Amino acid sequence: MRWATYLVGTDHRVGLVDGETIRGVRGVSSLIELLGDDAERLARAGDEARRDPLEVLKLDTAELAAPIPAPPSVRDFMAFEEHVANARSRTGGVDPGWYEAPVFYFSNPAAIHSACSDIAISPGSSMFDFELEVAAVIGRGGSNLAPDEAEGHIAGYMVLADWSARDLQRQEMALRLGPVKGKDSATSIGPYLVTPDELQSRRAGNGYDLAMTASVNGLQYSAGNWSTIYWSFGQMLAYASRGTRLVPGDVIGSGTVGRGCILELSILHGEEQYPWLQAGDEVVLDIDLLGSITGRITPGVAPKPLR
């Protein structure tokens, strides 16, 4: 199944994507309401939407919000080896510790954007970047999960765009903390939540054989594949749940697919060929079967002085 959150006026509504239509679910304003320990709740809601929808809208005219507009938390991992190797090729390569556990940082749940939102450059940044990622949404909560059981706690997958201010990130992480404002302004997710059964026939390696591409102003920048991921989502969830609890609606980002950001491409080929994003640029991130995110870059506000 493919699920969407859409707007009617200022109201958030939840609907099943059925071909070229969205069939609204009665009495539900958030996908999180359909998640939880009852794993069949989402499937029953889909059956009800087909049988007795609240409304039926044309998909191409519906105003889509982020599938999970206000997640309880957002964790973003770094699970693709090629990305790590490329990004750190000038500073000693992949740290051996990266192969011991899948590392992540907490991102900002208040900075979630839809798959078609405009994206403002982070205040004070002149090295603004996209990162092409997959995201999982937690369906059933759990703690201290084992990798082989953790994937059963996933409600579905989405495209994720991690918008990154590389200059701010570099300054912060030199102080052994962060990223903070380097990653704090925007994360786009969507356009749909796609349940795992939709992808099962494409299972490959630690992920799925699904092409991942990115373009800027119509020029292809990135081409990767989810199947090249080093750490599986089961392993990521197991690590994230260690000593704490994952809850329904939590968003788990994979980290950037290899060559899935300007940072990598500028290291490999130079900033002249792959310049940082500027106001007016249009970025399209696409993952086969999951859909596309389109971000139109707008000017950022000037940062207010701290002293």
Side-chain angles (χ1 to χ4, degrees):
M1 292 181 291
R2 303 163 74 85
W3 290 92
T5 299
Y6 62 99
L7 292 169
V8 175
T10 58
D11 294 335
H12 283 84
R13 297 182 183 178
V14 172
L16 177 73
V17 179
D18 184 21
E20 299 303 315
T21 64
I22 297 178
R23 305 176 74 86
V25 179
R26 295 183 182 276
V28 177
S29 60
S30 169
L31 265 171
I32 294 178
E33 297 173 37
L34 300 179
L35 307 179
D37 290 339
D38 181 358
E40 298 302 316
R41 188 180 303 164
L42 200 60
R44 290 198 302 271
D47 291 340
E48 292 169 7
R50 292 187 182 96
R51 183 176 61 252
D52 183 25
L54 170 67
E55 58 204 346
V56 179
L57 304 178
K58 291 184 178 180
L59 183 60
D60 60 1
T61 60
E63 183 179 358
L64 297 183
I68 309 290
S73 72
V74 181
R75 294 170 174 86
D76 204 354
F77 281 78
M78 192 165 59
F80 286 91
E81 183 180 25
E82 184 184 5
H83 168 70
V84 182
N86 288 337
R88 299 188 177 181
S89 60
R90 293 176 178 172
T91 58
V94 182
D95 189 306
W98 183 84
Y99 296 100
E100 300 300 319
V103 293
F104 68 91
Y105 69 93
F106 282 97
S107 195
N108 185 359
I112 294 295
H113 290 255
S114 77
C116 54
S117 296
D118 291 349
I119 303 297
I121 295 172
S122 298
S125 177
S126 60
M127 298 172 64
F128 199 56
D129 198 359
F130 67 85
E131 297 191 64
L132 170 59
E133 306 188 20
V134 183
V137 174
I138 299 301
R140 291 189 294 122
S143 62
N144 296 311
L145 300 171
D148 59 357
E149 67 175 319
E151 283 201 22
H153 289 249
I154 295 174
Y157 296 100
M158 310 176 292
V159 187
L160 185 149
D162 177 24
W163 303 99
S164 301
R166 297 301 193 182
D167 41 359
L168 306 184
Q169 179 185 1
R170 182 182 299 166
Q171 294 167 6
E172 294 164 345
M173 297 188 74
L175 301 175
R176 308 290 183 182
L177 200 62
V180 188
K181 288 301 171 185
K183 301 277 193 170
D184 204 32
S185 293
T187 300
S188 300
I189 57 175
Y192 317 115
L193 178 72
V194 181
T195 55
D197 59 290
E198 294 278 322
L199 312 180
Q200 196 56 42
S201 65
R202 306 283 284 275
R203 190 82 199 204
N206 282 332
Y208 296 88
D209 180 17
L210 298 178
M212 304 173 66
T213 60
S215 66
V216 178
N217 300 327
L219 177 66
Q220 182 170 301
Y221 270 41
S222 306
N225 194 291
W226 183 354
S227 66
T228 62
I229 200 166
Y230 182 90
W231 292 104
S232 71
F233 271 100
Q235 292 168 319
M236 287 186 266
L237 267 59
Y239 189 64
S241 71
R242 187 179 293 177
T244 187
R245 182 170 181 80
L246 302 177
V247 301
D250 282 345
V251 171
I252 308 293
S254 66
T256 311
V257 70
R259 305 190 183 216
C261 63
I262 293 174
L263 174 66
E264 286 180 71
L265 296 169
S266 65
I267 289 172
L268 295 171
H269 305 289
E271 289 188 21
E272 288 188 2
Q273 187 170 348
Y274 291 98
W276 304 106
L277 297 175
Q278 302 290 328
D281 287 342
E282 181 177 271
V283 181
V284 178
L285 308 182
D286 181 88
I287 301 178
D288 192 18
L289 301 186
L290 298 187
S292 299
I293 285 173
T294 298
R296 296 170 184 84
I297 308 303
T298 63
V301 300
K304 295 183 178 179
L306 299 179
R307 331 185 190 189

